[in-house]
Amino acid sequence: MTRHRLVLGLLCCGMLGVTASAAALELPVRKAGLWELKMIRSGGQLPEMTMQHCTDETTDKDMNNMASPMAQQVCSKQDIQKTATGYVSDSVCSFGGMSTTSHADITGDFNSAYTVKTTSKIQGGAAGTKDTAMTIEAKWLGACKADQKPGDIVMPGGMKMNVKDMAKLKNLIPGVKQ
């Protein structure tokens, strides 16, 4: 796996948990158990990706605590607001010579299903300026499988990792201090 794909994977995992932190508001903790997360990028640039994440209340809170210091270092703006239908998140983050401005609409109940629709404008880096859109459809499947522990993510192709180990990989993200 290239460094770029690993960094992208780490960032996506942070988004998948939908546990981003903001000074004014935190998103609810997801129901404990096995969640299926389907990522769909518009434009067909990348194939649809489906993964499973075993979680519990402690793991979701730990993901929030892990992501918050990183986000504070690389994001000049992190706003989450409650709306009539869910939440809206707006952020501006810079890392690796790139600046990303993102807007996300989050709907659902965090007990059975939620959806995150994100649009981003990425500036800098080799690609110049690029607009992206992604939808994450998450649904609760039930209890985690017998061979899973909270934090386990099963990626496409069967690769398994645990988000609790991701803290050790923070040094691979450009611009993030230890």
Side-chain angles (χ1 to χ4, degrees):
M1 178 182 287
T2 66
R3 180 177 169 162
H4 172 74
R5 289 181 66 193
L6 179 60
V7 170
L8 179 63
L10 292 172
L11 294 173
C12 288
C13 287
M15 290 178 55
L16 293 176
V18 193
T19 56
S21 174
L25 180 68
E26 287 186 11
L27 295 172
V29 172
R30 294 177 293 165
K31 181 177 183 176
L34 187 60
W35 285 85
E36 180 181 84
L37 303 151
K38 184 188 308 182
M39 294 179 15
I40 307 159
R41 294 186 59 99
S42 69
Q45 298 167 343
L46 294 174
E48 182 178 295
M49 183 169 68
T50 302
M51 61 188 74
Q52 293 184 345
H53 183 200
C54 173
T55 190
D56 63 8
E57 182 176 348
T58 301
T59 301
D60 263 12
K61 286 181 180 180
D62 287 348
M63 285 177 58
N64 182 32
N65 292 335
M66 180 180 73
S68 183
M70 286 190 300
Q72 288 174 0
Q73 290 178 32
V74 299
C75 299
S76 61
K77 176 182 179 180
Q78 293 177 269
D79 292 328
I80 298 176
Q81 301 296 321
K82 178 91 172 101
T83 67
T85 58
Y87 298 86
V88 171
S89 172
D90 290 291
S91 63
V92 178
C93 303
S94 297
F95 54 90
M98 296 184 298
S99 175
T100 304
T101 303
S102 298
H103 174 83
D105 290 303
I106 306 161
T107 56
D109 64 9
F110 297 91
N111 286 313
S112 61
Y114 62 88
T115 301
V116 181
K117 293 184 178 186
T118 304
T119 56
S120 300
K121 182 177 196 119
I122 302 168
Q123 296 176 299
T129 299
K130 183 176 183 178
D131 293 328
T132 64
M134 178 175 59
T135 299
I136 299 171
E137 298 173 351
K139 66 180 176 181
W140 188 77
L141 299 178
C144 295
K145 295 177 182 173
D147 65 339
Q148 293 176 324
K149 62 183 185 277
D152 281 351
I153 296 176
V154 180
M155 306 289 282
M159 184 179 92
K160 186 173 163 181
M161 60 186 279
N162 192 290
V163 295
K164 294 176 182 180
D165 297 330
M166 289 173 47
K168 300 171 191 170
L169 303 175
K170 284 194 297 190
N171 63 339
L172 297 176
I173 301 175
V176 175
K177 298 174 189 163
Q178 297 303 308

